[in-house]
């Protein structure tokens, strides 16, 4: 059977993609941002998942106000990087594991999570930046080296789903993956955040205390954390901080007991606090005896 072994939480700041694409990652401003992903790239290279289930949000690229799916599962064969105004990012096309995506679509709907099925979709920085920070520099001629099943979550237009709903969706995704017969190693990414506000009077808001609490509770109290209401994200983490509900999908898909093997937190990157965490299922972690990339 397929199984989820680990989860990755990570921000998707568009300027991080620009810094990689324009090769300025060793400039003093960017150096500390990318230093925190050195471990992660080694870990990815050693762990080599077959499939990444990538929970992200679209920013009015594939969707606009005319159609607002709460949860949209990518079932197309490929997903092309979108033009967000400066031309598409020069990164590889994303290849789906289409059979597994179809299986997950069926399992989720029959499990009463009525996701939207996307048979055509372009992907923006919300999906490509997390892949770039975890897999490193790639050109459009390269391959990401992993199949990616995207799940787009609406966190742009109110009402976004609750953290609790996201957490429970994670559980249903895990059930779907574990009922797929092929032996595949799967990782799940929860992306977006951390605290940031891009608009109006509190533009520029960053809250490291809140972000640290959030990262801590992913291990110590994930269920309690998933019950946090939207208004707490808005007040404490800014209007765009609500992107963090997507991390609960990732957490819900993991075991109750996880081991935090890596954390990175840095302010600022563009207008945003960059947060990143790697959580391994405890049984998987113990079965390996050590952290592979150490
Ligand atoms: C920024 C952050 C985001 O999450 C985003 O989607 C767009 C911009 C920023 O920091 O500028
Ligand atoms: Fe965003």
């Amino acid at each position: 059977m397929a199984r989820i072994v680990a989860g990755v939480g990570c921000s998707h700041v568009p300027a991080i993609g620009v810094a990689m694409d324009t090769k300025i990652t060793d400039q003093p401003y960017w150096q500390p941002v990318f230093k925190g992903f050195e471990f992660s790239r080694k870990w990815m290279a050693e762990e080599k998942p077959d499939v990444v289930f990538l929970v992200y949000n679209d920013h009015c690229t594939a969707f606009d106000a005319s159609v607002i799916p709460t949860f949209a599962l990518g079932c197309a064969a490929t997903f092309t990087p979108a033009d967000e105004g400066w031309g598409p990012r020069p990164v590889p096309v994303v290849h789906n594991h289409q059979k597994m995506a179809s299986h997950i679509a069926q399992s989720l709907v029959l499990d009463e999570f009525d996701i939207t099925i996307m048979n055509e979709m372009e992907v923006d920085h919300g999906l490509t930046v997390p892949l770039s920070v975890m897999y490193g520099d790639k050109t459009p001629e390269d391959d990401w080296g992993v199949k990616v099943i995207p799940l787009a979550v609406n966190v742009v237009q109110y009402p976004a789903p609750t953290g609790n709903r996201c957490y429970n969706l994670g559980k249903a995704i895990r059930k779907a993956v574990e009922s797929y017969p092929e032996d595949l190693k799967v990782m799940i990414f929860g992306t977006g955040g951390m605290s940031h506000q891009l608009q109006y009077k509190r533009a520029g808001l960053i809250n490291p205390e809140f972000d640290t609490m959030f990262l801590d509770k992913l291990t110590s109290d994930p269920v309690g954390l998933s019950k946090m209401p939207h208004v707490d994200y808005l007040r404490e983490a800014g209007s765009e901080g609500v992107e963090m509900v997507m991390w609960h999908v990732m957490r819900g898909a993991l075991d109750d007991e996880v081991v935090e093997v890596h954390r990175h937190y840095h302010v600022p990157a563009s207008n945003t606090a960059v947060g990143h965490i790697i959580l391994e299922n405890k049984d998987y972690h113990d079965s390996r005896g050590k952290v592979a990339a150490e």
Side-chain angles (χ1 to χ4, degrees):
M1 78 180 194
R3 65 175 183 145
I4 297 176
V5 298
V8 170
C10 127
S11 304
H12 65 213
V13 186
I16 289 181
V18 175
M20 289 181 69
D21 300 343
T22 57
K23 315 234 172 303
I24 56 167
T25 55
D26 53 6
Q27 286 186 357
Y29 180 87
W30 288 111
Q31 209 272 338
V33 174
F34 287 98
K35 182 124 192 63
F37 290 99
E38 282 173 7
F39 171 95
S40 319
R41 289 179 187 178
K42 270 193 252 152
W43 180 82
M44 269 334 255
E46 285 174 26
E47 286 294 321
K48 289 194 194 60
D50 301 301
V51 179
V52 165
F53 189 95
L54 205 155
V55 185
Y56 79 107
N57 74 285
D58 178 83
H59 301 75
C60 300
T61 304
F63 309 111
D64 60 23
S66 61
V67 184
I68 308 173
T70 302
F71 298 114
L73 185 72
C75 291
T78 56
F79 308 95
T80 307
D83 183 350
E84 296 181 63
W86 294 271
R89 287 195 60 213
V91 292
V93 166
V94 176
H95 290 270
N96 197 354
H97 192 302
Q98 221 176 356
K99 252 178 108 173
M100 185 185 251
S102 306
H103 170 85
I104 292 174
Q106 171 175 307
S107 180
L108 289 180
V109 174
L110 297 184
D111 213 6
E112 302 177 355
F113 281 90
D114 308 321
I115 43 98
T116 300
I117 292 170
M118 300 301 296
N119 288 325
E120 239 177 73
M121 183 166 71
E122 291 195 340
V123 288
D124 71 10
H125 68 271
L127 185 129
T128 63
V129 167
L131 285 178
S132 288
V133 292
M134 296 303 289
Y135 280 92
D137 289 314
K138 300 270 182 193
T139 71
E141 288 70 44
D142 294 330
D143 189 282
W144 284 110
V146 67
K147 304 277 195 230
V148 178
I149 303 179
L151 178 77
V153 179
N154 167 44
V155 290
V156 168
Q157 174 65 51
Y158 188 83
T162 62
N164 181 55
R165 183 67 171 161
C166 289
Y167 186 83
N168 288 328
L169 175 59
K171 295 216 168 294
I173 291 166
R174 176 196 179 127
K175 190 168 148 193
V177 168
E178 289 183 351
S179 60
Y180 191 73
E182 209 180 323
D183 273 337
L184 292 173
K185 184 175 185 177
V186 181
M187 282 184 190
I188 182 161
F189 286 16
T191 64
M194 298 194 84
S195 57
H196 65 303
Q197 172 146 343
L198 304 177
Q199 55 193 314
Y200 204 49
K201 289 189 182 163
R202 298 204 307 162
L205 177 143
I206 305 266
N207 185 346
E209 290 75 28
F210 176 89
D211 291 337
T212 302
M213 176 280 293
F214 190 93
L215 292 169
D216 288 346
K217 287 200 170 173
L218 285 173
T219 303
S220 66
D221 183 19
V223 175
L225 188 66
S226 72
K227 308 266 194 240
M228 187 164 62
H230 284 146
V231 69
D232 289 11
Y233 292 91
L234 295 174
R235 188 174 54 286
E236 303 298 329
S239 50
E240 277 66 49
V242 75
E243 286 181 346
M244 287 150 84
V245 295
M246 294 182 287
W247 293 43
H248 297 304
V249 183
M250 173 273 283
R251 186 61 188 89
L254 300 180
D255 287 354
D256 292 345
E257 271 196 274
V258 293
V259 178
E260 178 181 325
V261 296
H262 182 59
R263 183 190 294 205
H264 172 43
Y265 185 75
H266 179 78
V267 176
S270 186
N271 305 293
T272 311
V274 170
H276 170 42
I277 203 161
I278 300 180
L279 303 172
E280 293 182 352
N281 279 338
K282 183 152 186 324
D283 285 350
Y284 178 70
H285 178 82
D286 291 347
S287 73
R288 280 172 26 277
K290 71 176 184 83
V291 178
E294 263 175 0

